Amino acid sequence: MVHNATAVTATVEKKRAPFPVEFYRSAVGKKWIMALTGLGIIGFALAHMIGNLKMFLPPVDGEPDIDVYGHALRELLTPILPEHVFLWILRTGLIVMFLLHVHAAYSLTLMNHRARQTDYEGPRHYVAADYASRTMRWSGTIFLAYLLFHLADFTWGIQPMAPETWERGHVYANFIATFSRWPVTVLYVVASLLLGVHLYHGAWSMFQSLGINNPKFNTWRRYLATGTAGVISLGFIAPPLAVAFGVLT
């Protein structure tokens, strides 16, 4: 019997996946992945927001500043790499990061559902945690759905979502045409506010997921979460509203 038990143990050990895979399978690993990918998504959101704010800058040699910016993105690391290649490397990394973030969130949700069968928390803590979890799931899901529409409308120019005047590479003109439609502007504002809610909860819980959780730091954590969510949301909302109200034409 001892020999059989030893053989079974050895077989299980041989079948163990590499450490990164085993770590990701755990709840702690998924929380780390959510935190790190969330940090990357916040960085992308800030960069994208700054790019959008170029709508307010004056033209460069007669060309809209945001068009110059878009052209520069397409030429990143040229002539070392062909045009568009490095941009697609960045896009691929961003897609992988999004997929990991969504998968980790979905897996943790399943784990939480299983854990609910065990009454190990007080009612008040459970209600608060459940509210935050549901808010994160819904805000993230709705924003992801809008993101796909926004890409089809603004980046890919898929009809009938995009305006008839859409033209590849003309970022400023496409921006004006897209947000001259009030329904699209309203959708964008709502999605940006939902993104702010999602980023607030994400920035607040990120430090806890990484093990940086101390009552002494909770005040600045809340300021950081509020400031990050507020700046990004307002930064995204400002250019479309400027178009809708005729400030940008």
Side-chain angles (χ1 to χ4, degrees):
M1 292 295 291
V2 174
H3 175 74
N4 290 339
T6 303
V8 169
T9 302
T11 302
V12 171
E13 289 179 353
K14 287 180 180 179
K15 292 182 178 180
R16 286 180 64 86
F19 171 75
V21 177
E22 289 293 334
F23 180 68
Y24 180 69
R25 286 174 178 173
S26 67
V28 173
K30 287 180 173 61
K31 289 179 180 179
W32 266 79
I33 292 297
M34 279 204 71
L36 294 176
T37 55
L39 186 61
I41 290 169
I42 290 173
F44 164 74
L46 278 170
H48 189 42
M49 178 204 72
I50 292 170
N52 284 359
L53 291 176
K54 288 181 176 291
M55 286 289 297
F56 293 105
L57 297 181
V60 178
D61 295 330
E63 185 177 6
D65 190 83
I66 196 168
D67 285 15
V68 176
Y69 168 69
H71 186 66
L73 287 178
R74 293 190 289 274
E75 290 190 337
L76 282 172
L77 288 189
T78 57
I80 298 174
L81 294 174
E83 190 173 322
H84 294 280
V85 170
F86 189 70
L87 181 58
W88 272 107
I89 291 173
L90 292 177
R91 285 171 174 169
T92 302
L94 184 63
I95 290 170
V96 171
M97 192 163 55
F98 264 109
L99 291 176
L100 283 172
H101 193 78
V102 171
H103 183 267
Y106 175 74
S107 300
L108 283 171
T109 298
L110 293 180
M111 288 183 174
N112 288 337
H113 279 309
R114 297 190 191 103
R116 286 177 184 178
Q117 298 175 2
T118 305
D119 186 16
Y120 59 90
E121 294 181 321
R124 293 182 62 185
H125 180 76
Y126 170 79
V127 169
D130 186 58
Y131 172 76
S133 175
R134 284 188 289 109
T135 303
M136 287 287 283
R137 289 200 300 271
W138 281 110
S139 61
T141 301
I142 294 171
F143 178 77
L144 183 60
Y146 178 78
L147 179 62
L148 294 175
F149 166 78
H150 181 56
L151 289 171
D153 165 45
F154 186 74
T155 305
W156 302 326
I158 296 176
Q159 300 294 340
M161 297 179 184
E164 295 180 359
T165 57
W166 185 91
E167 188 174 353
R168 187 175 300 279
H170 293 196
V171 183
Y172 188 94
N174 293 339
F175 201 100
I176 297 295
T178 290
F179 294 110
S180 293
R181 301 173 294 170
W182 268 100
V184 176
T185 302
V186 171
L187 282 173
Y188 190 88
V189 169
V190 172
S192 297
L193 293 175
L194 286 173
L195 174 64
V197 172
H198 191 85
L199 290 179
Y200 171 79
H201 285 305
W204 170 257
S205 60
M206 176 175 60
F207 294 96
Q208 185 172 354
S209 298
L210 294 175
I212 308 173
N213 185 26
N214 190 302
K216 295 180 181 179
F217 305 133
N218 283 348
T219 300
W220 70 261
R221 278 175 60 199
R222 191 173 299 280
Y223 286 147
L224 179 64
T226 304
T228 299
V231 167
I232 291 177
S233 294
L234 292 176
F236 273 127
I237 289 170
L241 288 182
V243 173
F245 286 104
V247 177
L248 293 173
T249 56

